[in-house]
Amino acid sequence: MAEPRSPVSATVPQTPMGLAPPEGAVVEMDPVEYTLRKRLPRKLPKRRNDVYVNMKTDFKAQLARCQKLLDGTAGHREICIHGLGLAINRAINIALQLQAASQGALQLAANTSTVELVDDLEPEDPDEAGEPLTRTRNNSAIHIKVFYPNPQ
Amino acid sequence: MAEINAVVNHSNASANGPRKVSSIEESSPFPVPGQGPGVLEMRVKEGSKIRNLLGFAMSRIQGEGGQSVVSQVLFTGSGRAITKTITCAEIMKRKVLGLHQVSKIQYRTVREVWESQEGCRTQTTINRTVPSISILLSKNPLDPQEPGYQPPDDLFSQTKEKDEDNTPLDLGKRHWSCYSPVVLSTSKRACLEEDKHTAP
């Protein structure tokens, strides 16, 4: 998980701008180095039968968790599997394996969406004039409802 | 998983190892019921460029350049092309408003023919199942009861979103913006320090 933004210490000795040698101007022209920090995706509401698939947890563990939700004591009639970006493939794999294991009793309904993500760009050197920037980008997501169709 | 690894090892083996001759994706029946021919099918592959796919699909659905207009586009992709397939559909939905969508996921069988090159040429066929996705985008209304149906995004939420962050609709361009004042604190402090130095 992303660590909280560490405050940049402002006590770093600075060369006063007025005394900077003429070469300093040239140095300043150099592109400031940034660290890219990806913020976590916007937190989504989570019900008991929601599963957010990621790429860090073991695939089998996540599959087992979904299976448990469907047929354990919890016994949900439907669960919702969410995957973002690279985890889309894994989400689909889990859903298809659940369906295969149920001998066709389970049905799938997939929806797609776009999630807006924010990246922070922080200057490596706080003395440089580089401004902190943010960049928004979009990533694709999938939401798969895995459910037992109503018997009627 | 194990099968995929085995295949990768083969291709990394010596030049005399087995060679992949062809891989045929089994033509699955049309995944979305109720739809027939007359649909533009876009097969998304791992190396396909989104701009090429969308450039073609957009010209066909909007009828640019005197081409015949199609009312439905089907994006299909399997394996590692799934993410790209979804991205294509999402971008198209953003550019062409009022599209109805039905998404289907299923396993697809890919038949690969491998040829060993040692002495006598023997061919072996491997059947692999890969997950795949099919996304149908339609200008005409689709059956809302169909699993995987998504209605078009209503105009209200679209315009609201636009007002909120002034994002240009053009998705292709990344846009950069400064921090909001709250987050600016660190650099502001740096500025104050600078002032202290230069003031006397």
Side-chain angles (χ1 to χ4, degrees):
Chain A
M1 295 295 145
E3 64 271 39
R5 183 188 313 286
S6 52
V8 182
S9 146
T11 53
V12 182
Q14 291 183 331
T15 46
M17 297 307 275
L19 295 181
E23 296 89 41
V26 183
V27 172
E28 232 182 54
M29 294 283 282
D30 282 342
V32 187
E33 282 191 23
Y34 287 99
T35 25
L36 189 139
R37 188 162 292 172
K38 293 173 178 177
R39 283 192 211 167
L40 280 178
R42 194 163 47 89
K43 215 52 219 140
L44 288 147
K46 192 167 186 300
R47 294 164 295 172
R48 295 194 74 115
N49 56 346
D50 271 323
V51 179
Y52 286 87
V53 173
N54 62 24
M55 294 305 283
K56 290 178 189 162
T57 313
D58 180 56
F59 175 84
K60 272 190 173 170
Q62 296 184 80
L63 180 65
R65 189 170 149 222
C66 294
Q67 191 73 64
K68 205 172 156 192
L69 278 175
L70 280 166
D71 51 31
T73 44
H76 289 283
R77 295 289 299 171
E78 70 165 68
I79 61 170
C80 214
I81 301 173
H82 309 266
L84 174 68
L86 196 61
I88 288 175
N89 274 28
R90 186 168 271 193
I92 293 177
N93 252 324
I94 287 176
L96 288 171
Q97 297 224 1
L98 287 172
Q99 191 187 33
S102 76
Q103 271 102 36
L106 283 168
Q107 274 196 21
L108 309 179
N111 279 3
T112 64
S113 72
T114 304
V115 177
E116 202 166 79
L117 299 173
V118 182
D119 291 344
D120 292 331
L121 283 165
E122 295 166 347
E124 284 274 295
D125 185 356
D127 301 346
E128 291 291 333
E131 259 183 291
L133 297 166
T134 62
R135 176 172 66 183
T136 55
R137 62 193 164 90
N138 290 310
N139 208 344
S140 301
I142 197 162
H143 317 276
I144 311 167
K145 194 170 85 172
V146 184
F147 61 103
Y148 291 105
N150 284 329
Q152 351 12 351
Chain B
M1 277 305 207
E3 265 174 346
I4 294 170
N5 287 338
V7 170
V8 171
N9 286 340
H10 277 308
S11 65
N12 286 343
S14 65
N16 294 328
R19 193 168 57 92
K20 184 154 87 172
V21 179
S22 66
S23 73
I24 309 146
E25 276 191 25
E26 210 168 74
S27 56
S28 55
F30 203 76
V32 185
Q35 308 301 317
V39 182
L40 173 66
E41 192 185 343
M42 303 292 297
R43 288 187 194 148
V44 183
K45 297 282 154 66
E46 207 183 322
S48 308
K49 295 282 171 280
I50 289 183
R51 60 166 176 274
N52 296 343
L53 292 162
L54 278 175
F56 179 74
M58 291 299 291
S59 72
R60 292 299 301 272
I61 205 164
Q62 289 174 333
E64 283 164 5
Q67 284 191 319
S68 58
V69 184
V70 293
S71 61
Q72 297 185 327
V73 182
L74 178 75
F75 287 101
T76 58
S78 57
R80 272 184 274 182
I82 286 178
T83 319
K84 195 169 279 187
T85 311
I86 297 176
T87 305
C88 283
E90 285 293 320
I91 293 175
M92 179 162 246
K93 275 200 293 183
R94 202 96 37 94
K95 288 189 174 175
V96 183
L97 293 179
L99 286 176
H100 299 257
Q101 179 184 354
V102 170
S103 326
K104 294 279 172 194
I105 51 176
Q106 66 272 308
Y107 277 123
R108 203 156 203 212
T109 314
V110 180
R111 190 195 297 151
E112 284 177 353
V113 180
W114 291 76
E115 195 175 69
S116 69
Q117 294 176 310
E118 298 145 359
C120 54
R121 296 205 158 186
T122 49
Q123 286 197 340
T124 45
T125 313
I126 303 171
N127 280 323
R128 287 202 296 140
T129 50
V130 288
S132 74
I133 192 164
S134 314
I135 303 174
L136 181 77
L137 294 175
S138 172
K139 286 181 181 172
N140 313 322
L142 298 165
D143 178 15
Q145 298 304 311
E146 185 66 36
Y149 171 79
Q150 275 175 272
D153 285 346
D154 51 336
L155 282 164
F156 174 71
S157 68
Q158 287 261 339
T159 47
K160 199 178 136 208
E161 198 178 301
K162 241 173 80 188
D163 286 344
E164 268 174 3
D165 53 16
N166 292 325
T167 316
L169 253 186
D170 192 351
L171 261 175
K173 286 178 189 133
R174 301 239 153 128
H175 91 280
W176 298 76
S177 61
C178 281
Y179 268 139
S180 56
V182 187
V183 200
L184 252 172
S185 57
T186 50
S187 62
K188 212 189 267 173
R189 223 188 313 167
C191 286
L192 288 174
E193 285 276 311
E194 239 170 60
D195 285 346
K196 240 192 287 174
H197 279 290
T198 45

